[in-house]
Amino acid sequence: MKITESVLIKAISVVISFLIVIVSVISVTTNKSNLSVNEEYVETMKTTDTTTTTTTTTTTTTTTTTTKPETTSTTKKATTQTTVKQTAPTDEIVTDPKPPENISAPAVTGSHEIAGSVPAKAAVSGSYFNDAVFIGDSISLKLNYYESSKNRLGNAQFLTAGSLSATNALWDVSDKSVHPKYQGKKRKLEDSVAMMGVKKVYIMLGMNDINAVGINGAVKNFEKVCNNILAKSPDVTIYVQSVTPLAASSNVASKKEGRLNNASVYEYNKKLAALCQRRGWYFINVAEVMFNEKGYLKNEYCGDLQSMGIHFTNEGCRVWVDYLLTHTP
């Protein structure tokens, strides 16, 4: 009986020890499983952080000279990979820090005529522009590209650059400045114009100024730019071109009063026209033929409908040139 009890006690002891081992194994396995999940979460966060940094860096690098990048996302398991597709160079336009979604540029309804504008007349030949230079931002840069293949404006020259504004045109020339190049070197506008020896200066600036310094500040800086040009080239004639409208789908337009939108552009243009009357310059209202029936830039004239909604197609440039040819003093 004693032997049987002894054997039984040992058997129970072995069973208990075996159960303890099983419980320990289960606990270790569970901990390893939890650790694996945590490691995957951490790896996911690392991937997300890296993706965010990469996207931000790419956007920061390209916004100076490109449109807003189009982003496509592919998700697999817990990690996200983002590919940023670059588009053609464009302007950098200051927008609200957190612009509302599905924003639409306010329309300008009714007549788009502006008092004091040069009226229409019979078209001149392209040779009229042989002694002219066109100054502007990336909108005028597109006109430059168009004209290089069409040659409708005679021997006109161009001083154009993405992100150029009346404001930054007044800054000193540097590696980081956006002054247009002439003869392979960045120069202030007044210096390049003087070197060219032109007689007519067609200038369109302001799209990049309105958000930065407001409508009145933009007009003041515009006048300073023209004054600087006249100081070094007193015999040139100034032709001020109105800033063109934004498309309804523009993602750089703001609904805030005084910020960049069609309403503020229209007010800016009217102030430019008044400036021209006061200074004896010519105001060329090219914008008046760019609106659709709802008061936005016509879709067929807009080359970036799905993004900035401000740059032109070849058709838009054709209409632009037609207007220039038929609106001379």
Side-chain angles (χ1 to χ4, degrees):
M1 184 66 180
K2 289 182 179 181
I3 295 176
T4 301
E5 290 178 354
S6 176
V7 171
L8 181 61
I9 291 171
K10 288 181 179 181
I12 293 172
S13 177
V14 169
V15 170
I16 292 173
S17 298
F18 180 73
L19 291 174
I20 291 174
V21 170
I22 291 176
V23 170
S24 298
V25 170
I26 292 173
S27 177
V28 171
T29 303
T30 302
N31 288 337
K32 286 184 178 180
S33 177
N34 289 336
L35 181 60
S36 177
V37 171
N38 289 332
E39 286 177 345
E40 185 177 358
Y41 176 74
V42 170
E43 188 63 29
T44 302
M45 292 299 295
K46 287 181 179 179
T47 304
T48 303
D49 290 343
T50 303
T51 303
T52 302
T53 301
T54 303
T55 303
T56 302
T57 301
T58 304
T59 303
T60 301
T61 302
T62 58
T63 48
T64 301
T65 55
T66 65
T67 56
K68 184 177 179 181
E70 298 175 2
T71 305
T72 55
S73 300
T74 304
T75 305
K76 183 178 180 180
K77 293 184 179 179
T79 60
T80 302
Q81 296 179 339
T82 303
T83 303
V84 177
K85 180 181 178 181
Q86 296 183 0
T87 56
T90 56
D91 283 340
E92 175 187 7
I93 298 183
V94 181
T95 57
D96 295 327
K98 293 182 179 180
E101 296 180 359
N102 301 321
I103 199 165
S104 178
V108 178
T109 57
S111 173
H112 302 115
E113 297 179 359
I114 295 178
S117 302
V118 171
K121 58 181 289 187
V124 299
S125 68
S127 61
Y128 177 86
F129 299 94
N130 283 348
D131 58 354
V133 60
F134 285 81
I135 296 174
D137 51 33
S138 61
I139 296 174
S140 296
L141 182 60
K142 170 60 181 178
L143 181 67
N144 187 359
Y145 293 152
Y146 172 84
E147 181 58 21
S148 65
S149 62
K150 303 299 183 181
N151 298 315
R152 299 184 61 203
L153 295 175
N155 296 324
Q157 301 182 72
F158 288 81
L159 289 172
T160 55
S163 300
L164 185 65
S165 68
T167 303
N168 59 34
L170 298 171
W171 299 349
D172 292 334
V173 176
S174 69
D175 292 340
K176 295 182 179 180
S177 72
V178 296
H179 295 86
K181 290 183 178 181
Y182 179 63
Q183 294 183 348
K185 182 179 178 180
K186 285 183 181 180
R187 307 175 193 272
K188 283 203 167 184
L189 294 175
E190 59 266 28
D191 294 329
S192 294
V193 170
M195 293 175 66
M196 289 175 170
V198 296
K199 298 300 181 183
K200 303 181 184 80
V201 176
Y202 280 77
I203 181 168
M204 179 191 287
L205 290 173
M207 184 74 80
N208 295 327
D209 292 278
I210 293 174
N211 275 344
V213 296
I215 296 174
N216 291 332
V219 174
K220 289 180 180 179
N221 287 342
F222 188 98
E223 185 174 12
K224 289 179 183 178
V225 169
C226 294
N227 286 340
N228 290 345
I229 291 173
L230 289 169
K232 291 198 172 184
S233 303
D235 294 331
V236 302
T237 301
I238 302 294
Y239 298 75
V240 177
Q241 297 183 90
S242 58
V243 171
T244 49
L246 295 77
S249 59
S250 173
N251 65 11
V252 297
S254 172
K255 290 183 178 178
K256 293 183 178 180
E257 183 178 355
R259 302 285 284 178
L260 181 61
N261 54 52
N262 282 336
S264 60
V265 166
Y266 185 59
E267 289 302 313
Y268 173 70
N269 285 335
K270 288 195 295 184
K271 289 180 179 292
L272 286 185
L275 172 65
C276 289
Q277 287 187 311
R278 176 168 60 84
R279 295 297 304 270
W281 302 337
Y282 294 110
F283 183 73
I284 314 298
N285 189 19
V286 297
E288 68 175 325
V289 293
M290 303 299 180
F291 291 91
N292 62 19
E293 67 281 359
K294 294 183 178 180
Y296 301 103
L297 177 63
K298 290 183 178 180
N299 287 355
E300 60 268 32
Y301 296 168
C302 184
D304 53 355
L305 273 174
Q306 303 306 314
S307 52
M308 300 182 80
I310 60 174
H311 298 98
F312 281 73
T313 59
N314 282 345
E315 178 61 14
C317 288
R318 183 192 66 77
V319 173
W320 186 349
V321 173
D322 286 345
Y323 192 94
L324 293 172
L325 292 171
T326 55
H327 290 77
T328 55

